[in-house]
Amino acid sequence: MPVEPQPSAAARTAAAASPDEVVVAARGVTKRFGSREVVCGIDFDVPRRACVGFLGPNGAGKTTTIRMITCQSPLGGGEIRVFGLPVGPRSERAIKRRLGIVPQDENLDPDLSVLVNLLVYASYFDVPRAIAVRRADELLQLFALADRRDARIDTLSGGMKRRLSIARALIHEPELVVLDEPTTGLDPQARHLVWEKLRELRRRGTTMLLTTHYMEEAAQLCDLILIVDAGRVIAEGTPRELVRRYAGREVFEVFPPFDAALRDRCAPLASRVEQTADALRLYLDEDRAAEPLFAALAGHEFLHRAANLEDVFLHLTKRDLRD
């Protein structure tokens, strides 16, 4: 399937309810490091009360873009407006005060307790002490950390630290929360608990910008996904739209041994065929029935499953390993 061009900035702006409903607006954004252009004129919007996911292989430009949005790296070219303010030295302080940032690397203060980590961070944003204590209690309840309020950071599990990092980013009630790989390194139980808490924030109307390498995480949490590669937005849509557009409805994965004759026999029955060293993948869209493929694959080892966001990602960005 060919990669469809992204909707124009003008079209997306016209579709927005009002400028007040767009938290981040980027137009023609570029960034160079020496002679290498890592962000190549991208456009996108982050609507208020939405969770927007940035997906892309390593080196795609997503982290660089996030760093420009959060005023951690100077804008190379084009324009980014956050809360209607142009990103730049004059508005950096005003923008940062309205952001909550959850970095990929844990940076909690190990010398302070769970509660004091929250209260100290609140003081950076001039949150009055009584209000900070009330908010801290509410956040510790929300993130299932109330019974660890007096614990030192080095006694917490990895999942607890991630939940506390998210709680800390919310203590000053930011208008936009930026989460950089929020569940990297967590076991499945901890990851699902973080997802549960982020879904609760989403239900409360918190605007979130998320980067992740976990396709299931993006599918679970995001209202809108931007797939970025080589510094460009190559696809945009809801998780369901992207799966339907680029992967279809279901997939047959046929495992070796298989030969060209099997591929030739199955290809007319599929919407798209992809062959790699480890599998022959047969994609079906809404117009194709699965029953003929079950018959054609009789006697072969295969897996039949629903198409998913990982199929989309690998189709658009290919399967080459990125450093």
Side-chain angles (χ1 to χ4, degrees), residues 159-266:
M160 290 176 180
K161 290 177 182 177
R162 292 310 285 166
R163 297 194 323 261
L164 181 58
S165 293
I166 299 169
R168 183 185 63 178
L170 297 170
I171 192 72
H172 58 297
E173 296 189 340
E175 295 175 54
L176 172 64
V177 179
V178 180
L179 303 117
D180 187 9
E181 304 285 348
T183 62
T184 295
L186 299 187
D187 61 36
Q189 290 87 350
R191 182 177 302 125
H192 279 267
L193 185 54
V194 170
W195 290 353
E196 176 188 325
K197 302 310 177 185
L198 292 177
R199 281 194 292 268
E200 173 63 23
L201 292 180
R202 192 173 153 212
R203 287 192 291 269
R204 294 182 179 200
T206 302
T207 306
M208 293 185 282
L209 186 55
L210 169 75
T211 69
T212 182
H213 284 298
Y214 293 116
M215 298 299 109
E216 184 183 359
E217 182 164 278
Q220 289 265 350
L221 299 176
C222 294
D223 302 292
L224 176 69
I225 288 173
L226 307 174
I227 299 180
V228 182
D229 198 15
R232 304 180 189 279
V233 176
I234 61 173
E236 176 179 345
T238 68
R240 183 173 296 179
E241 287 170 348
L242 290 172
V243 171
R244 186 176 66 248
R245 190 184 312 158
Y246 295 107
R249 184 186 72 245
E250 53 196 310
V251 184
F252 285 78
E253 291 189 82
V254 187
F255 304 110
F258 49 77
D259 54 22
L262 178 66
R263 174 179 174 136
D264 293 344
R265 188 163 65 250
C266 292

